[in-house]
Amino acid sequence: MYWYYCKFTFQIQIIMFKKLVLLLFCVNLFSACQQDNQLKTLEYSDAINQEFTGELAYKTTSFVEKYWRVVGNTGFNKTIYNIAEQLEKDGYVLEEKATKADVLTYRIETRPLKRPTWESVDATVIINGETVPLLAHATNRNMIALNSYSTPKEGVTAEVIHINDLKKLKTTNVKGKIVFAETHPGRIFKTAVAKGGAIGLITYNNPSYLQPEKNTTSIQFRSIPLDTIKKSWGIAMSFAAKERLKDALSKGKVNLNVNVETNIYKSEELTIVADVKGSVTPRERLVFSAHIQEPGANDNATGVGVALEMASLTAKFIKEGKINPKRSLTFLWGDEIISTRRYVQEDSIRAQDIKWGISLDMVGENTAITGGTFLIEKMPDPSAIWTRGNDKHTEWGGSKMKLSQMKPHYLNDFLIEKFIEQGKLANWKVATNPFEGGSDHVPFLRGNIPSVLFWHFTDQFYHTDNDRIDKVSKSTLKNVGTTALIAAFELINSDENTAINIIKKIQTSAISRLNEELKQSKIALQKGDSLSTQIEIINAWEDWYIKAANTTTDMVSSKALINSQLIVSKDTIKAIAKSIRAILNKK
């Protein structure tokens, strides 16, 4: 009996062993298939170009641009939840429900707002005695200055006082009147309303790059201080409305009937963060930031849409086994600069491992309509000090920087190369501009995190109520999103091979730049500029590129893996710079 028992037990063990072997075989086979299915670096471009259509980015942009978005208001919050809904469809799991095995997660961060939020509802401005409104919210949704309170339901009627010389505003009796001036309303609010007793403001100051005499109905959005005592309002005018009001004033006294309806209420600040967890060093990450607030389509519903399609496609590739990121990839949507700054500052341990930050801002322009071109705003390099040759600041403007503010890093040349490649592939114009600031790349840089801005400028509809969906290009959304994702995949899976290729690119870029600066220095010397300044410029670029090459060590476990290429490239850059200095010293 015992023998039969032992024989039976042995047979069971054999069966179990065979099943275990089969299971291990299947696991290994699955793993091998997954690895075989993984995209190689050189395959990223073809695969992403094929899959990234721009459809989701455009659909999201269309949804978001319907709303005038300020943090905490209806449109802002609906955008947050629209993003969350799509992330859920794509397989992202709410963090509080996620397990350690979940690669795709997201969270919605909630914080109380210190100040109430605001949203416009409706408004009309009518010149007494006329039937056609001077302005109507239905066609000029930027006409109500941010933080304006509602008028009584029947509106208010008062005389318009035109202030031609702002210096005379203090001594002009404006009590109970509507002050008209060609300036930003925030500049005169305190003097005219808080101290002067004016019941409201009506202003005009569209900058020339908006081509106001051509785009006569455009209004660039404006704001006034939130005044809980006076509870006043401000109206911003288009060029056409300004000219019409001035014409009426030239004929005598003008009374305006102004009816404003807004909502001002307590709310909360929402930020949504989606994470794709890295499989090797998950704490290291690349962060894409796209701000939600602002009222336009290109600014910045397009950034929201591109980031969402990037997150969606990343999830698809992971589920299909086409990518297994070594480092983490993060997508952040929130309030411009504020949300990104908090992400960088609130967790010092997390901040130490943010390797790259990229701002997606105004990334979907139909440039045939808006003007300008797609731009990569570089990390601070010497072109932000000496802006010459092909380097040009945009109309947005940038102040001259100092050598101490430079941020040498490979990210500039790495991304420029990727976008130029896509530009050639798609017949799409790509350019760069020196650092100017003003978007979500700034908090990263202030935290010593390499960061650039993807954007467009000049845009003749920038910040105006004519920045609508008809100014957005699906092909631009595709090109920006595709290239950004190609670059992201390469960065989060970077190794010594990536680093070596980037070092070679830096060497090539440095040689090109130094020779261009030699050309510019010769021109400068002919115009009487000092030799010492020209030498300083060459030294600055040499130093920048050598330090940029050194930053590639953050991709490898040991500098020894790339040291030989580093030595060759840095020696080459030094030799070129030395020869250029010698040429200049002979002049």
Side-chain angles (χ1 to χ4, degrees):
M1 190 73 172
Y2 178 73
W3 181 82
Y4 281 113
Y5 172 76
C6 291
K7 182 180 179 181
F8 176 74
T9 304
F10 182 67
Q11 289 174 333
I12 292 295
Q13 289 174 337
I14 290 174
I15 292 169
M16 293 298 292
F17 178 75
K18 287 181 177 179
K19 286 184 177 180
L20 179 60
V21 169
L22 181 61
L23 178 62
L24 290 172
F25 174 77
C26 291
V27 169
N28 289 331
L29 181 63
F30 177 77
S31 178
C33 289
Q34 287 287 91
Q35 289 178 1
D36 288 342
N37 197 36
Q38 281 184 31
L39 295 169
K40 297 177 177 62
T41 302
L42 293 176
E43 296 174 324
Y44 290 160
S45 179
D46 287 345
I48 297 172
N49 263 292
Q50 183 176 345
E51 295 281 357
F52 199 113
T53 64
E55 290 288 343
L56 178 58
Y58 190 84
K59 177 183 175 183
T60 304
T61 299
S62 299
F63 174 87
V64 177
E65 71 97 28
K66 293 184 296 185
Y67 301 100
W68 211 107
R69 307 170 306 277
V70 176
V71 62
N73 78 359
T74 301
F76 190 101
N77 292 350
K78 282 188 174 183
T79 298
I80 290 282
Y81 291 114
N82 180 264
I83 294 168
E85 182 180 349
Q86 182 62 45
L87 291 174
E88 290 269 2
K89 289 179 182 177
D90 294 327
Y92 288 81
V93 180
L94 193 62
E95 267 189 15
E96 59 194 53
K97 298 178 180 179
T99 67
K100 289 184 178 180
D102 287 311
V103 175
L104 305 169
T105 60
Y106 80 96
R107 65 181 180 274
I108 297 176
E109 300 175 353
T110 305
R111 298 173 179 86
L113 276 174
K114 293 181 180 179
R115 292 161 56 88
T117 191
W118 180 92
E119 57 196 21
S120 60
V121 179
D122 199 8
T124 55
V125 177
I126 299 174
I127 297 174
N128 273 20
E130 298 186 8
T131 55
V132 178
L134 181 68
L135 291 165
H137 188 266
T139 52
N140 286 111
R141 70 176 188 171
N142 282 2
M143 66 179 285
I144 311 173
L146 174 66
N147 293 324
S148 292
Y149 277 84
S150 298
T151 61
K153 287 185 178 182
E154 66 277 10
V156 293
T157 300
E159 181 185 357
V160 178
I161 299 294
H162 188 188
I163 305 296
N164 282 302
D165 185 352
L166 295 181
K167 293 178 182 178
K168 295 181 180 180
L169 178 58
K170 289 182 180 180
T171 57
T172 303
N173 180 14
V174 297
K175 187 175 182 179
K177 307 292 198 308
I178 298 170
V179 171
F180 164 41
E182 295 187 43
T183 187
H184 192 292
R187 183 182 175 191
I188 61 172
F189 184 86
K190 184 176 180 180
T191 303
V193 177
K195 292 183 178 180
I199 64 169
L201 305 174
I202 187 162
T203 62
Y204 172 84
N205 67 322
N206 280 352
S208 59
Y209 61 77
L210 295 179
Q211 304 178 47
E213 295 185 29
K214 169 187 171 186
N215 303 310
T216 59
T217 64
S218 288
I219 298 178
Q220 196 168 60
F221 80 84
R222 295 290 178 248
S223 64
I224 58 175
L226 183 68
D227 190 336
T228 57
I229 305 300
K230 297 287 185 179
K231 295 186 176 180
S232 191
W233 44 266
I235 297 293
M237 285 190 289
S238 63
F239 178 85
K242 181 258 297 185
E243 290 295 297
R244 186 175 156 194
L245 179 58
K246 289 177 75 172
D247 181 63
L249 285 165
S250 70
K251 298 172 183 175
K253 179 180 175 181
V254 173
N255 287 329
L256 292 180
N257 177 264
V258 179
N259 197 313
V260 175
E261 183 182 357
T262 64
N263 290 327
I264 300 176
Y265 53 96
K266 290 182 179 180
S267 188
E268 58 188 8
E269 178 190 349
L270 302 180
T271 304
I272 185 164
V273 182
D275 284 314
V276 181
K277 186 165 64 177
S279 59
V280 179
T281 51
R283 288 173 56 142
E284 296 181 353
R285 68 186 65 239
L286 164 61
V287 181
F288 283 101
S289 185
H291 65 88
I292 295 171
Q293 106 298 334
E294 294 198 296
N298 276 307
D299 193 10
N300 183 39
T302 54
V304 174
V306 165
L308 188 56
E309 186 161 345
M310 289 169 66
S312 177
L313 187 52
T314 300
K316 182 176 185 291
F317 280 165
I318 284 177
K319 286 184 283 187
E320 293 175 350
K322 291 182 178 179
I323 185 167
N324 180 29
K326 296 177 182 177
R327 302 174 183 89
S328 295
L329 182 57
T330 296
F331 299 92
L332 182 152
W333 296 268
D335 195 12
E336 187 173 19
I337 296 179
I338 293 171
S339 294
T340 304
R341 182 174 61 213
R342 183 185 293 113
Y343 187 85
V344 171
Q345 292 181 352
E346 72 178 357
D347 188 333
S348 59
I349 295 174
R350 178 176 66 197
Q352 290 174 5
D353 290 318
I354 302 173
K355 297 180 74 65
W356 314 276
I358 295 176
S359 173
L360 300 167
D361 190 353
M362 300 171 64
V363 291
E365 308 235 350
N366 183 336
T367 56
I369 299 174
T370 63
T373 187
F374 172 77
L375 294 168
I376 300 172
E377 181 166 308
K378 300 181 292 181
M379 293 176 61
D381 68 8
S383 68
I385 304 174
W386 300 282
T387 307
R388 59 188 194 172
N390 292 325
D391 289 311
K392 291 180 175 62
H393 277 293
T394 71
E395 288 83 352
W396 201 89
S399 57
K400 186 176 179 179
M401 303 187 78
K402 302 175 183 178
L403 281 173
S404 60
Q405 296 174 293
M406 297 299 95
K407 300 283 187 182
H409 199 271
Y410 61 79
L411 189 62
N412 276 0
D413 288 293
F414 170 77
L415 290 173
I416 291 168
E417 181 181 37
K418 296 301 171 190
F419 275 86
I420 288 175
E421 288 173 357
Q422 181 70 16
K424 291 177 180 177
L425 181 68
N427 192 27
W428 172 52
K429 186 177 178 181
V430 172
T432 67
N433 68 279
F435 177 78
E436 295 177 350
S439 191
D440 282 299
H441 56 318
V442 174
F444 289 119
L445 291 169
R446 287 178 178 168
N448 291 317
I449 297 164
S451 183
V452 301
L453 166 67
F454 298 158
W455 72 315
H456 285 78
F457 221 70
T458 297
D459 176 353
Q460 61 183 303
F461 305 108
Y462 172 67
H463 277 181
T464 76
D465 40 21
N466 279 320
D467 177 14
R468 305 307 299 269
I469 193 65
D470 61 309
K471 313 303 189 303
V472 175
S473 163
K474 192 181 296 183
S475 65
T476 304
L477 294 170
K478 171 182 168 56
N479 280 326
V480 176
T482 293
T483 320
L485 201 55
I486 292 167
F489 283 4
E490 191 162 338
L491 287 172
I492 61 178
N493 278 325
S494 57
D495 55 19
E496 63 270 20
N497 293 321
T498 317
I500 288 170
N501 288 333
I502 291 175
I503 294 167
K504 290 177 180 178
K505 172 59 183 174
I506 287 172
Q507 176 184 320
T508 302
S509 297
I511 293 170
S512 176
R513 169 59 72 169
L514 287 167
N515 280 304
E516 173 62 24
E517 293 304 327
L518 170 60
K519 175 184 172 183
Q520 295 302 322
S521 288
K522 287 178 179 178
I523 295 170
L525 289 171
Q526 288 174 357
K527 293 180 178 179
D529 287 358
S530 69
L531 175 61
S532 61
T533 297
Q534 309 316 309
I535 299 298
E536 185 183 12
I537 293 171
I538 300 302
N539 291 343
W541 280 109
E542 176 190 13
D543 180 70
W544 197 93
Y545 273 111
I546 286 173
K547 288 178 177 176
N550 284 331
T551 61
T552 56
T553 57
D554 73 348
M555 295 181 172
V556 296
S557 56
S558 171
K559 184 179 177 181
L561 295 169
I562 60 171
N563 201 43
S564 60
Q565 183 61 54
L566 267 176
I567 292 171
V568 169
S569 293
K570 290 194 293 184
D571 284 348
T572 302
I573 294 168
K574 290 176 183 177
I576 294 292
K578 183 179 179 180
S579 68
I580 288 174
R581 283 190 292 268
I583 293 170
L584 291 174
N585 279 314
K586 290 179 181 178
K587 291 291 180 182

